[in-house]
Amino acid sequence: MRHSCIFATVSLLAMALAGCGPESTSSDSNFRNPAENVSLSFESFTLRNESGLPETLPRTIFYDFYRGIEPAEGEDDEDIDEVVGKLRERMNLLMGLTPSDDGKRYTHARNPLDFLHEVITSNQVDNFNQGRQLMRDSITAGEGSRYNTPDKDALIRFTETGDVEEGAEPGPDQRWVYTLLDWTSNPQVNKVFRAAQFVAREPEDDDSNPPEVSSALWSGRFNGPDFSVSGYNRPEFSATSLTGRELGDAELRQEFIGDQNDTLSLTGTSGITIDDEEPDCIRIVVNYKNAEVRIFTSRDEEPNNVDEETDESSPNPAHCGNQQNDDEAIFYQAEVIEQRQ
């Protein structure tokens, strides 16, 4: 799966990964990279809303999308209901989501990306706080800067201790390692960019049910003047990529300003049947402004067609990622989402 520095849905100067940063972060910068190793233990990796505290789940990655694909009242179509159910089942598996009793939302989330975001939001790690302060200071000073763990050979390690017996080693899914955490500021466009990458530990040979996600990447863009050194920062755009062991790959691109569209792409979609066919490519587009959902599918179609004589390539209109017309899609009205995360 490709991990792009520039979101395909918009024209950005998105420095989401190492190597995409501004020249002003060179050695003559007034700002230094403060990244360092972080190793913390937590009772549980599971996120939930706690009584009396600000809600946590509305800040999780799939919160809007999970609700946004719910058919509106009056959209009585068993086939659509079945597809929506299968899509939510796939999200449950990939992101460790526990559905509510009515199945329209989730009550718990246990996955490395949402958990890292919540640790950052809750200001628990001084080094992460330094990274955000660096962004704030450099935007104010008009000079680009970067917090980047690979540049410092630093790793982030979180360990879940609640279900680990005394003296025992945590299981593969009880120790999460992040090979990348990066904040990059670019005062020229008044934006801050963040990226994080998780790589799962190899499962034990006798593990019959290893975690499905082997790696995950999140990248996002924030408005620089509004970027806060504490609490939650809402992105303008974000992209989440997940690599599965058995179920293929997933990519969610989210727009929180402008068009207000979210697009989930699933490739190698083993186990999801739509219109009596098991597609290997599914693209779901949620338009929050109009409360509309479009689902495009294809099978055995390459993303690009290659001219055998000239070796030039062009987008294959039959591939689910390139389909645009409503007559190619499953289309329905969805429940209105009053406020996005």
Side-chain angles (χ1 to χ4, degrees):
M1 173 172 288
R2 57 187 173 82
H3 293 155
S4 176
C5 292
I6 302 178
F7 301 140
T9 50
V10 287
S11 176
L12 296 177
L13 298 175
M15 301 113 201
L17 296 175
C20 302
E23 293 179 0
S24 54
T25 58
S26 61
S27 59
D28 60 351
S29 170
N30 292 320
F31 297 100
R32 297 291 180 262
N33 177 9
E36 62 185 25
N37 287 319
V38 172
S39 183
L40 292 174
S41 295
F42 299 87
E43 178 72 16
S44 174
F45 287 155
T46 300
L47 302 177
R48 61 176 66 85
N49 293 332
E50 302 287 353
S51 178
L53 297 175
E55 291 189 338
T56 297
L57 294 178
R59 299 193 291 261
T60 54
I61 294 168
F62 275 86
Y63 185 75
D64 293 339
F65 190 92
Y66 202 95
R67 299 175 301 147
I69 60 174
E70 179 65 23
E73 187 175 348
E75 290 280 346
D76 298 323
D77 188 312
E78 292 184 2
D79 291 337
I80 290 177
D81 289 340
E82 183 178 0
V83 171
V84 169
K86 290 176 180 177
L87 292 175
R88 284 181 172 147
E89 287 175 3
R90 182 58 51 89
M91 287 182 267
N92 294 343
L93 287 171
L94 293 174
M95 298 297 284
L97 307 178
T98 302
S100 58
D101 290 340
D102 63 7
K104 296 181 180 181
R105 56 191 54 82
Y106 50 85
T107 61
H108 300 73
R110 186 186 183 280
N111 64 79
L113 294 179
D114 279 330
F115 191 75
L116 176 63
H117 293 177
E118 187 59 27
V119 171
I120 292 170
T121 295
S122 59
N123 310 314
Q124 297 182 56
V125 181
D126 183 61
N127 188 248
F128 298 168
N129 298 340
Q130 293 175 30
R132 292 203 287 177
Q133 185 66 58
L134 175 68
M135 297 298 101
R136 176 77 265 162
D137 292 345
S138 65
I139 285 287
T140 302
E143 182 179 350
S145 66
R146 165 169 284 163
Y147 171 110
N148 182 274
T149 52
D151 282 354
K152 290 295 192 73
D153 293 324
L155 289 175
I156 297 165
R157 299 177 179 88
F158 293 159
T159 302
E160 186 179 44
T161 61
D163 293 329
V164 179
E165 296 182 4
E166 186 174 352
E169 275 291 310
D173 197 35
Q174 293 174 309
R175 181 170 290 159
W176 289 347
V177 177
Y178 303 84
T179 58
L180 169 73
L181 178 59
D182 179 289
W183 278 282
T184 297
S185 66
N186 189 327
Q188 293 180 339
V189 292
N190 258 338
K191 302 300 179 184
V192 171
F193 304 89
R194 174 158 64 85
Q197 186 170 35
F198 159 81
V199 177
R201 295 169 62 192
E202 286 298 317
E204 304 292 340
D205 292 338
D206 58 352
D207 190 344
S208 60
N209 188 30
E212 172 58 25
V213 174
S214 60
S215 66
L217 173 72
W218 185 94
S219 57
R221 189 189 86 175
F222 305 85
N223 185 40
D226 298 328
F227 189 80
S228 174
V229 299
S230 65
Y232 176 68
N233 280 298
R234 177 183 171 179
E236 295 179 330
F237 303 93
S238 71
T240 302
S241 297
L242 307 168
T243 301
R245 298 184 192 276
E246 301 290 340
L247 300 178
D249 298 336
E251 184 175 62
L252 176 67
R253 294 179 178 270
Q254 299 179 282
E255 304 175 50
F256 297 99
I257 61 175
D259 290 341
Q260 293 284 322
N261 289 336
D262 282 358
T263 302
L264 175 64
S265 299
L266 302 172
T267 56
T269 54
S270 173
I272 296 181
T273 302
I274 299 177
D275 290 338
D276 297 324
E277 183 180 65
E278 187 176 304
D280 55 22
C281 179
I282 303 175
R283 179 167 60 96
I284 309 99
V285 181
V286 180
N287 181 309
Y288 294 96
K289 282 186 176 180
N290 300 326
E292 296 174 343
V293 175
R294 290 169 173 82
I295 303 175
F296 301 91
T297 66
S298 64
R299 182 175 178 82
D300 297 331
E301 296 287 348
E302 293 296 327
N304 296 299
N305 291 325
V306 179
D307 189 303
E308 294 182 358
E309 294 183 0
T310 65
D311 204 32
E312 294 182 355
S313 65
S314 60
N316 175 9
H319 185 266
C320 90
N322 301 322
Q323 294 171 10
Q324 298 294 332
N325 300 323
D326 281 351
D327 58 2
E328 298 174 312
I330 298 172
F331 172 85
Y332 63 91
Q333 293 295 137
E335 284 193 357
V336 175
I337 302 300
E338 296 291 348
Q339 184 175 357
R340 300 199 66 196
Q341 61 179 259

